[in-house]
Amino acid sequence: MTIEETEAEADYRAGREWFKSAVVYQIYPRSFADSDGDGIGDLRGVIGKLDYLQTLGVDVVWLSPVYRSPQDDNGYDISDYRDIDPVFGDLETLDELLEGLHARGMKLVMDLVVNHTSDEHPWFVESRSGKDSPKRDWYWWRAPRAGAEPGTADPGTAGAEPNNWGSAFSGPAWEYDATTGEYYLHLFSKKQPDLNWENPDVRAAIYDMMNWWLDRGVDGFRMDVINFISKEQSLPDGPIAEGKLYGDGSAHFICGPRIHEFLQEMHQEVFAGRDKELLTVGEMPGVTVDDAVLFTDPGRREVDMVFQFEHVALDQEGGNKWRPKKLRLTDLKQSLGRWQEALGERGWNSLYWGNHDQARAVSRFGDDGRYREQSAKMLAAVLHLHRGTPYVYQGEELGMTNMSFGAISDYRDIEVLNHHREATTHLGHTDAEVLAALAPLNRDNARTPVQWDASRHGGFTTGAPWIVVNPNANTINAASQVDDPGSIFSFYRQVIALRHTDPVVAYGDFTMLLPDDEHVYAFRRSLPDAEMLVLGNFSGSGQPVDLDVSWSGAGLVLGNYPPAPGLALRPWEVKVLRRAL
């Protein structure tokens, strides 16, 4: 404890240490395990796989939304924050899941979606009932734009929107409501109206709901686009990029003027004074390293860690996921290395390759063909041995791959469907062009069901799955891997155990090595009494490693090939060496 640090501050900091050696597993419940044969995963299905998760060794389960919802955006459009959607189960089943996790030494983190609600949430239903509604100011309502071009100023027609912002799911970010003659803001789907956090009653209602869940026993929250909740109240126009139909308003809502105030208030009203080990992670698109240092500084009492998106935009032209490009390893090292360095003294990193919004890791960053198993293992070790808390997305521990969707009718994601419609209708692209652009990075790649065995539908369901199961479930599945000591699953177990048992992984300093090497990812983790060298080959050919040869005498603690002398790497090989100092 420093001289300036109070006893309470020291206790708070110490209470955060647990997650530095923890590993989080994300469950996208719709695609995890279906217990009742309706083709949609559910809570009972999750309960049936708790022993699997315990065998894997994870400490925390992050559950994507299971609240009551019209399912316009697969549950990220919530109509009741305090109930479970019948498609997934009910509150009693959620309690049973919670009890089962706790009995196995695992925690449950709920997805918190409070930038917006569903348009079917009672708050919004009341808000849109009239301009004099007591909840009118709970959302962003605005009159049609004044002085629009002649012929376009009529309310409800293109050009009459209050500003030129585009939605993340294509189209304008405004929806006209004929009942009151005004527009409401929706940064995502038109069925996801944005809450107005400027209203203290909104914030109080959200904090009350969060406390209700914590009192019920959940162990924290993953906060969806939480850095969007503070917006410049004037809502000015944004620049329109070439080839785009709408303006980019992100400068006016990403990390807006009151974001730190709101998060500190949230901490005080929800988390302060609780002696339980809790986890808060903020999903923050567009967040910078400097922002993240502030958000995750323990002394500021905001969030424990953030999900940043810099490294998963490096294989996209201009950050446009529909314009994929080849990833340069040097760019990846520069990005992740900068985050490691910036959050080395204050704050904390979250570590991930994939989630429900990203393509499958082994298809995107590795080789999902000849070297699928080797590259999946290499990616696991390289990621998990950075400084930060690693996240495993369901199926990643099995080396699940991207899906080949044949036609637009095979897709289910609203982002994909809206983009395809806009690109073919308004931007002049052919169906074939759009489908080719969609294939590598679309979100449905990650949403095909978990492959449990080689039976029909991969053992996910006895019914017709809501989205097609990848045909390679015949060979890539949990049943074939759980008891195989050489499998990807077993390798993940080893990597996770290493974080649990070796303090160098959880607490050591991070030093990037060979920053200019286009094939080898190398770094050192160190404590005063020990250090670890991690070498990963991001290529399908053998690679030399030009480092201090004294490492050749260190012990190999982890690898994805039979041991071989020296530091040189075989295709997609990873070597983890450790030595005492």
Side-chain angles (χ1 to χ4, degrees):
M1 185 168 63
T2 64
I3 296 175
E4 298 82 8
E5 190 175 49
T6 67
E7 185 174 348
E9 288 170 337
D11 288 344
Y12 175 70
R13 178 172 50 81
R16 291 162 49 96
E17 294 296 304
W18 71 270
F19 58 70
K20 295 185 177 182
S21 60
V23 176
V24 183
Y25 187 95
Q26 183 191 357
I27 288 178
Y28 192 72
R30 174 174 288 269
S31 298
F32 189 67
D34 173 25
S35 71
D36 59 10
D38 67 354
I40 300 173
D42 48 46
L43 292 177
R44 184 67 57 193
V46 177
I47 291 171
K49 302 298 183 182
L50 291 184
D51 288 342
Y52 171 87
L53 297 175
Q54 186 177 29
T55 299
L56 183 59
V58 297
D59 307 276
V60 181
V61 168
W62 152 27
L63 190 65
S64 287
V66 291
Y67 313 97
R68 192 174 286 271
S69 165
Q71 304 296 324
D72 182 63
D73 185 24
N74 286 355
Y76 282 87
D77 50 314
I78 297 170
S79 58
D80 188 342
Y81 286 107
R82 302 194 194 205
D83 199 7
I84 303 300
D85 195 280
V87 74
F88 298 123
D90 52 33
L91 281 170
E92 288 71 26
T93 312
L94 189 284
D95 290 340
E96 185 180 340
L97 170 60
L98 188 59
E99 181 180 352
L101 285 166
H102 288 170
R104 291 167 175 81
M106 291 180 278
K107 301 179 186 295
L108 179 65
V109 166
M110 298 286 281
D111 221 316
L112 184 76
V113 188
V114 290
N115 173 72
H116 47 265
T117 68
S118 166
D119 66 344
E120 297 181 34
H121 194 291
W123 295 347
F124 187 73
V125 173
E126 169 62 33
S127 181
R128 79 187 312 175
S129 65
K131 292 182 181 180
D132 59 350
S133 164
K135 285 190 169 56
R136 186 67 170 180
D137 194 37
W138 282 45
Y139 295 84
W140 294 89
W141 289 97
R142 291 292 185 272
R145 176 191 293 266
E149 294 181 11
T152 66
D154 295 334
T157 61
E161 297 89 359
N163 68 23
N164 69 356
W165 294 2
S167 159
F169 292 163
S170 302
W174 295 92
E175 181 71 8
Y176 182 66
D177 179 66
T179 301
T180 59
E182 291 189 336
Y183 289 83
Y184 64 85
L185 177 67
H186 59 92
L187 294 181
F188 296 92
S189 164
K190 66 182 180 181
K191 287 185 66 64
Q192 294 171 299
D194 280 49
L195 283 161
N196 177 14
W197 275 66
E198 295 293 326
N199 187 326
D201 292 337
V202 169
R203 304 200 301 275
I206 290 170
Y207 303 152
D208 186 59
M209 174 269 294
M210 294 172 69
N211 276 305
W212 184 84
W213 278 109
L214 292 182
D215 291 343
R216 200 173 188 96
V218 306
D219 303 289
F221 300 98
R222 174 266 187 189
M223 304 176 183
D224 188 68
V225 294
I226 197 66
N227 63 324
F228 288 11
I229 59 175
S230 173
K231 302 169 175 67
E232 289 187 29
Q233 294 187 62
S234 61
L235 305 178
D237 281 347
I240 302 178
E242 183 179 354
K244 294 288 187 179
L245 297 176
Y246 301 98
D248 178 6
S250 60
H252 309 295
F253 59 76
I254 289 181
C255 301
R258 299 183 68 187
I259 184 61
H260 294 290
E261 174 192 344
F262 290 160
L263 290 179
Q264 289 169 11
E265 180 184 70
M266 176 190 289
H267 182 277
Q268 181 60 38
E269 296 298 321
V270 179
F271 302 103
R274 293 181 180 268
D275 57 5
K276 184 179 180 182
E277 291 180 344
L278 301 173
L279 182 67
T280 57
V281 53
E283 185 204 29
M284 297 188 177
V287 71
T288 67
V289 168
D290 292 339
D291 291 330
V293 170
L294 297 178
F295 285 124
T296 65
D297 181 350
R300 294 174 59 86
R301 310 288 207 278
E302 297 187 22
V303 294
D304 294 322
M305 62 194 79
V306 303
F307 284 140
Q308 55 92 5
F309 291 80
E310 185 178 291
H311 68 296
V312 291
L314 297 174
D315 55 358
Q316 305 164 24
E317 291 285 355
N320 182 347
K321 68 188 296 183
W322 310 132
R323 296 176 62 192
K325 67 176 184 179
K326 182 177 176 56
L327 173 70
R328 292 186 60 196
L329 183 63
T330 47
D331 291 341
L332 181 66
K333 290 191 285 190
Q334 183 182 47
S335 174
L336 292 181
R338 185 170 63 254
W339 283 82
Q340 289 285 302
E341 180 180 0
L343 296 175
E345 297 299 323
R346 286 188 298 157
W348 193 246
N349 276 289
S350 62
L351 309 171
Y352 74 95
W353 290 129
N355 56 42
H356 65 290
D357 285 335
Q358 305 295 328
R360 283 287 176 185
V362 71
S363 297
R364 185 176 190 179
F365 300 105
D367 177 351
D368 62 8
R370 177 182 178 184
Y371 293 109
R372 183 186 64 87
E373 292 193 17
Q374 292 90 340
S375 63
K377 293 174 182 178
M378 184 277 293
L379 289 170
V382 167
L383 182 80
H384 282 240
L385 298 182
H386 278 71
R387 182 181 186 271
T389 298
Y391 288 72
V392 179
Y393 179 66
Q394 62 183 39
E396 182 182 310
E397 75 282 6
L398 304 175
M400 282 180 59
T401 67
N402 277 359
M403 179 66 188
S404 294
F405 296 100
I408 192 62
S409 59
D410 295 329
Y411 287 94
R412 298 292 180 267
D413 181 25
I414 186 174
E415 180 185 41
V416 165
L417 299 176
N418 286 357
H419 172 72
H420 180 272
R421 181 171 58 251
E422 182 174 284
T424 56
T425 304
H426 300 296
L427 297 178
H429 299 295
T430 66
D431 177 71
E433 289 172 339
V434 178
L435 288 175
L438 288 172
L441 299 178
N442 72 80
R443 301 194 302 181
D444 278 341
N445 279 314
R447 299 178 182 186
T448 59
V450 173
Q451 297 160 203
W452 294 108
D453 57 42
S455 67
R456 189 166 183 258
H457 303 317
F460 165 71
T461 181
T462 58
W466 74 278
I467 189 172
V468 67
V469 176
N470 197 314
N472 63 23
N474 291 334
T475 54
I476 302 173
N477 58 69
S480 66
Q481 294 193 37
V482 170
D483 295 324
D484 177 2
S487 69
I488 298 170
F489 179 88
S490 293
F491 191 85
Y492 264 83
R493 290 188 65 194
Q494 295 177 60
V495 175
I496 291 169
L498 196 58
R499 172 167 290 273
H500 289 158
T501 57
D502 194 332
V504 175
V505 178
Y507 304 108
D509 292 336
F510 178 97
T511 304
M512 185 70 76
L513 307 172
L514 305 179
D516 298 323
D517 194 308
E518 288 289 358
H519 303 291
V520 176
Y521 199 123
F523 58 89
R524 182 175 65 245
R525 301 295 310 282
S526 57
L527 288 173
D529 62 347
E531 61 181 350
M532 181 177 287
L533 176 67
V534 180
L535 303 172
N537 181 2
F538 275 71
S539 79
S541 59
Q543 297 295 330
V545 177
D546 184 17
L547 284 177
D548 182 353
V549 294
S550 64
W551 274 102
S552 61
L556 181 72
V557 296
L558 193 66
N560 60 346
Y561 275 84
L567 300 182
L569 299 172
R570 288 160 282 193
W572 296 100
E573 183 172 14
V574 64
K575 289 184 177 180
V576 181
L577 306 174
R578 191 186 194 279
R579 64 184 177 188
L581 297 177

